[in-house]
Structures are given as structure tokens and as C-alpha cells.
Amino acid sequence: MSKTATEIEQPDAEQDDTALFGFWIFLMSDAVIFALLFATYGTMTQATAGGPTAAAEFKLVPTFIETLLLLTSSATFGRASVAMKYDEPRRVLFFWLFVTLGLGLVFLGFEAKDFADMFADGAYPSRSGFLSAFFALVPLHGLHVVAGCFWLIVMIVQVRVIGLDRRVKLNLLRLGLFWHFLDVVWIAIFSVVYLGGHIA
Amino acid sequence: MKNGTERRTELRTYAVGYLLALALTGAAFAAVVWPSFAAGTTLAIVLGLALVQAVVHFRCFLHITMQRASRHDLQLILFSTLIIVMMVGGTMVLLMNLRTRMM
């Protein structure tokens, strides 16, 4: 018998670091996908084919509110991470996880409203190269947030049912990296797509 | 007691990151909504602020520092950045050149 059950159940800290490093590799490959969609978008900004333009379609105030929602959700997730790390009462952890989830869902609501308004204006993906590139890039980030919210629900259930064992903690750390990473991607989208679209 | 200090330092890191992120986003937003520079300068300011904000996020939220504990992560991020710069830069040069020639 080479490994006892406890050794398998309780991998050491070095293995935890390796697991998180593996997740970083996933995040960075995801970053490459986003970067190339940004490059495609950058080359397509003028290709409006006589259709809706960036300045006409992008509303700055709602997207600014979306930015604030995501920034705040990053801070609240950070607060949840601290609650987990320092073994604060379980309800503190749940509170901040639920606040993060709520902010994520409100963000998705705002974004869905933006897209619905664009569709109502005749700005749909097949209208022009510009809009195809836009709808390849921005909703992909939205899909990531949907996945993040689903993952948050799964983690709330895991903490509730399993408790904070090593694996659940590791999963929460991974989700934290994912969530903060999505925030960085959104900053790029807000700056390049939305603010960039309004610079005359 | 040591635990309490560490916890407070960590909370402060998140708070500082949050405030810096708000300030940088607000500055970029203001630069576009109340334009006071030429378009090219404004674009450069917005992209510059975004870059600084990305660094703030990596430092304060993702805990990437120069310490040994996150050295591997930092190397991975810098290498990925190099790949991204080459691929995005190459794409932009090629397609912008093509666009100019097609006009």
C-alpha cells in the first residue's frame, strides 16, 4: 500500500499550488482567445457596411454602471476569500458570496438590456463585420459571467453540503481567480469597445 | 494576534485595489464624456489607464507580486502577455495595412 486514504484525501500545500498554477494556464489561454477577438474587433471598427455605428449604438452610462457592478463584485468576492481564509463564521462567507452572485446577476441583466436595445435598433450580428466582431467579443465575456454565476451557486451548495474541506477551498480559490480575471477582461472591453467607440 | 494583522493587511489590499480601480475607471470615463484633448490623445489616455488598472487588478485582487510564492504565476502571465502582444500586434499591422491598400 503506497498511499493511505488520508494522503489521497489531503494533498499537501505544494499540490494545491500546482492545481492553482494549472488554473492560471487555463486563464491565460482564455486571455489569448479574448485578445485575438479584440484584435479582430479592432480591425473591424470601420466595417459598418452603412449600418449602425459604435457611437450610435453604445451607451456610456449603462456600461459605466455595469463596470461599477463588476468592480464591486470583485471586491465582495475578495471579502469572501478573506472570510474563508481566516475561518470567519460561515454566515459571513455566505453573505459575501450571495452579494457577489447578486451583483453578477444584475450585471447580466444590464447587459441583456443593452443587447436587446441594440437588436431593436437593427444592430444584430449579421448586419455588418463590425457588429459580427462586437457580438463575438462582448457576449463571450457575458457567457463567462453566466458560467461564473452558475459556478458560484455550485460553490455555495458545496460549502453548505460538504463544508470547507481542502477541495472545496481549492475550488473557491479557483473561482476567485476566474471572477477577478473576468473583471480585467471587462475593463479591456469597457475601455476599447465602449469608451473607444465614443472617442470622435 | 499575527493572524489578525495578516487579515487586516489583506483586507486593506482589497480596499486599496477597489478604490484605485474605481478612480481609474472614473478617470477614463470622464476623459471620454468631457473630452478636453484631441481624439488620439484621449484614446491613448483611456488605453493607458486600462493598462494601469489591469496591473492594479493583478496586484491587489489576483495577488501577483514579485515574491517567490507567485513567481511562477508571474512568469506565466508575462509569457502569455508576450504571445498576446505578438499575435495582436501582427494581426493589427497586417489587417490595417490591407485596409489602407483596399481603400
Side-chain angles (χ1 to χ4, degrees):
Chain A
M1 204 170 136
S2 56
K3 270 188 176 167
T4 63
T6 42
E7 269 173 337
I8 296 165
E9 283 295 310
Q10 302 273 315
D12 56 17
E14 203 174 311
Q15 272 174 309
D16 285 3
D17 281 351
T18 312
L20 287 180
F21 185 70
F23 197 73
W24 266 109
I25 294 177
F26 157 71
L27 287 183
M28 287 300 109
S29 47
D30 216 21
V32 170
I33 294 176
F34 274 113
L36 291 178
L37 285 171
F38 270 110
T40 311
Y41 179 82
T43 59
M44 285 289 185
T45 46
Q46 307 301 315
T48 52
T53 60
E57 283 309 317
F58 299 157
K59 290 182 232 52
L60 279 186
V61 174
T63 48
F64 185 57
I65 295 171
E66 285 161 37
T67 310
L68 296 183
L69 285 168
L70 273 197
L71 285 180
T72 310
S73 80
S74 242
T76 57
F77 201 109
R79 186 61 191 81
S81 306
V82 172
M84 178 184 84
K85 187 171 171 186
Y86 294 98
D87 289 323
E88 288 175 45
R90 200 58 53 85
R91 67 192 149 74
V92 179
L93 175 61
F94 279 128
F95 174 77
W96 290 109
L97 287 180
F98 272 113
V99 171
T100 310
L101 177 63
L103 289 166
L105 291 175
V106 174
F107 167 84
L108 286 173
F110 267 88
E111 191 164 53
K113 170 86 170 53
D114 283 353
F115 293 157
D117 287 349
M118 287 181 72
F119 271 74
D121 281 355
Y124 42 85
S126 56
R127 179 63 189 81
S128 63
F130 159 65
L131 287 167
S132 303
F134 172 84
F135 278 104
L137 171 63
V138 183
L140 182 67
H141 172 272
L143 272 182
H144 277 75
V145 178
V146 171
C149 287
F150 182 67
W151 191 357
L152 253 172
I153 295 168
V154 170
M155 286 322 300
I156 289 169
V157 173
Q158 280 195 3
V159 176
R160 176 117 217 126
V161 174
I162 307 174
L164 280 176
D165 70 358
R166 203 156 193 160
R167 258 175 33 218
V168 173
K169 276 189 176 177
L170 202 52
N171 285 346
L172 258 176
L173 285 176
R174 286 196 191 97
L175 174 57
L177 292 181
F178 185 68
W179 198 267
H180 295 310
F181 167 77
L182 287 187
D183 217 7
V184 180
V185 174
W186 178 261
I187 293 306
I189 289 179
F190 181 62
S191 303
V192 173
V193 176
Y194 290 105
L195 291 179
H198 274 273
I199 296 171
Chain B
M1 225 44 238
K2 188 174 164 287
N3 231 10
T5 338
E6 256 179 53
R7 180 173 168 277
R8 229 167 307 140
T9 317
E10 219 162 299
L11 283 176
R12 198 176 328 120
T13 309
Y14 281 113
V16 166
Y18 183 49
L19 291 179
L20 278 177
L22 285 183
L24 289 163
T25 302
F29 181 71
V32 174
V33 176
W34 299 285
S36 40
F37 302 102
T41 320
T42 310
L43 188 63
I45 291 173
V46 167
L47 295 183
L49 288 172
L51 202 62
V52 175
Q53 191 167 352
V55 173
V56 168
H57 280 239
F58 274 101
R59 173 68 186 78
C60 295
F61 293 154
L62 290 158
H63 307 301
I64 299 300
T65 58
M66 298 300 279
Q67 281 159 19
R68 183 161 302 173
S70 57
R71 192 67 57 79
H72 284 297
D73 295 345
L74 182 63
Q75 281 171 352
L76 173 70
I77 292 164
L78 291 179
F79 178 69
S80 311
T81 311
L82 175 71
I83 298 284
I84 286 172
V85 167
M86 289 198 304
M87 291 200 294
V88 172
T91 307
M92 296 302 275
V93 168
L94 265 172
L95 289 180
M96 289 302 181
N97 188 272
L98 188 67
R99 195 166 84 191
T100 326
R101 283 163 194 274
M102 299 273 278
M103 290 293 184

